[in-house]
Amino acid sequence: MNVQWLEDFIALADCMNFSKAAEKRNVTQPAFSRRIKSLEEALAADLVDRSSHRLKLTDAGNAVLAAAKDVDGRLKRVCREIEQMKAVASSLTFASTHALSFTFFPNWFKALPAPASSAPVHLLADNMNACERMMLEGRAQFLLCHSHGATEISLPEMSFRMVELAKDEIVPVAKSSKDGFPMFSLDDAVDNDTPLLSFDDRSGIGRILDSVLDERMRKVRLRSPFSSHLAVALKALAVDGKGIAWAPRSLVEDELQSGALCLAGGEEWRVTVSVVLVRSRERQSPLAEQFWSLAIRRSS
C-alpha cells in the first residue's frame, strides 16, 4: 500500500469532492480517482459511497480515515524528529553557566581551528542547576562550567567525563572609593556588618564558595541584601556600590583594570577554580566527537 494514498483519502474526506481534493493534492482528477480506487482495492472495501449526488464515507471509510490520520500524524512526527536529529548531527549544542557564556566561551571558541570554529553552534546559557538538567536530559552535547575539587558537579561520573580547559579565580570585589580602596572590605567585616551580594543555591560558583569558604565566612559579619545566580548581576551591583560580590576574575578583569572595582579581600579569600568542558560518555555525532578530540588536544 502506498502511504500517499492515505493522504489522498484524508484530502477527499476533508473536501467530499473529487475535483477539489485532486486540486488540493496537486494531481489531475482522473489520477486522483485512480489512487482512491487503488486504496479501496488494497483494502478490499468500498471507502466512499458514490451512489448519490453527495459523497459520503462508508463505515469502512470512517474506520480507515481514523487510521489514516493516526498514521499520517505519526509519520509527520517522525519526519520532524529526523530533521531535528540531522540538525543536531550538523551542529554543536553547549550548555554554559552565564558567567562563562559572557566571557570565556566567545574567545575560547573563536580561537579553535576549523572545522570546530566554523560549525553551527547553539549556546544555552543558564544557572548550574539548569545546565546539569539539560545534560541529563540530553538537550546539550557539552557543558561549560567552573569546577573545584571541594564540590562535585551533579552528574554521575560513570555517565559523564570532563576535561580542564583553563584556570580561573573567584575573587571578592567592591566598588573603588576615590582614594582607590574598596568601599567595603572583608577585613572590615570582622567587626562591622558588611553587605554581601551573594549567589543563590542554583549557582555553581555559589556551591564552590560555600564548600571552600564556609568556615572562614562564619568569622566575619556579612549580611545579604541581594542574591542571584547571575554573576553579572552581582558584579553590576558591586560596581554600583551596593556591597561585596565574589565573581570570576575573567568577568571582572576590565573593571579591576579601570579602577571601577577593587579586590575586597586578600589571597585567603580567593578561590582558584578550573574551567571545564563536560560531555556524555555515550557516542555522539561525528562532528561532536571531532570537536571533543580537538578540545582535548588543545587542553593538553
Side-chain angles (χ1 to χ4, degrees), residues 136-157:
L136 288 169
E137 294 172 356
R139 291 186 285 127
Q141 297 161 306
F142 302 101
L143 164 61
L144 187 67
C145 63
H146 287 104
S147 176
H148 189 280
T151 182
E152 294 183 353
I153 296 173
S154 298
L155 295 172
E157 186 177 349

Side-chain angles (χ1 to χ4, degrees), residues 210 213-222 269:
D210 287 344
L213 298 179
D214 181 61
E215 185 175 346
R216 187 177 295 277
M217 289 279 202
R218 297 176 190 275
K219 298 178 181 179
V220 291
R221 298 165 59 179
L222 297 172
W269 290 104

Side-chain angles (χ1 to χ4, degrees), residues 88-164:
V88 168
S90 61
S91 63
L92 299 171
T93 303
F94 293 85
S96 173
T97 53
H98 282 285
L100 290 174
S101 72
F102 278 103
T103 56
F104 182 83
F105 182 85
N107 294 327
W108 168 71
F109 193 82
K110 183 173 60 177
L112 293 174
S117 60
S118 59
V121 171
H122 191 197
L123 179 62
L124 306 171
D126 215 318
N127 62 70
M128 188 60 178
N129 286 5
C131 286
E132 289 167 334
R133 190 163 56 250
M134 282 189 268
M135 291 297 289
L136 288 169
E137 294 172 356
R139 291 186 285 127
Q141 297 161 306
F142 302 101
L143 164 61
L144 187 67
C145 63
H146 287 104
S147 176
H148 189 280
T151 182
E152 294 183 353
I153 296 173
S154 298
L155 295 172
E157 186 177 349
M158 66 176 59
S159 300
F160 293 88
R161 56 187 298 204
M162 69 181 183
V163 61
E164 183 183 83

Side-chain angles (χ1 to χ4, degrees), residues 24-152:
K24 185 176 182 179
R25 294 289 290 156
N26 294 315
V27 297
T28 64
Q29 182 177 335
F32 182 82
S33 297
R34 285 195 299 270
R35 279 152 53 164
I36 296 297
K37 193 64 178 175
S38 295
L39 177 63
E40 290 178 314
E41 290 172 356
L43 295 171
D46 291 333
L47 305 180
V48 182
D49 184 353
R50 301 172 175 82
S51 62
S52 63
H53 177 69
R54 185 176 181 82
L55 289 179
K56 65 177 183 178
L57 300 184
T58 63
D59 290 342
N62 283 314
V64 170
L65 177 62
K69 287 183 175 179
D70 181 58
V71 170
D72 184 60
R74 289 172 182 266
L75 285 174
K76 286 178 178 176
R77 284 195 298 273
V78 168
C79 287
R80 287 195 297 270
E81 289 171 2
I82 291 173
E83 287 302 315
Q84 290 172 355
M85 286 188 285
K86 288 180 179 178
V88 168
S90 61
S91 63
L92 299 171
T93 303
F94 293 85
S96 173
T97 53
H98 282 285
L100 290 174
S101 72
F102 278 103
T103 56
F104 182 83
F105 182 85
N107 294 327
W108 168 71
F109 193 82
K110 183 173 60 177
L112 293 174
S117 60
S118 59
V121 171
H122 191 197
L123 179 62
L124 306 171
D126 215 318
N127 62 70
M128 188 60 178
N129 286 5
C131 286
E132 289 167 334
R133 190 163 56 250
M134 282 189 268
M135 291 297 289
L136 288 169
E137 294 172 356
R139 291 186 285 127
Q141 297 161 306
F142 302 101
L143 164 61
L144 187 67
C145 63
H146 287 104
S147 176
H148 189 280
T151 182
E152 294 183 353

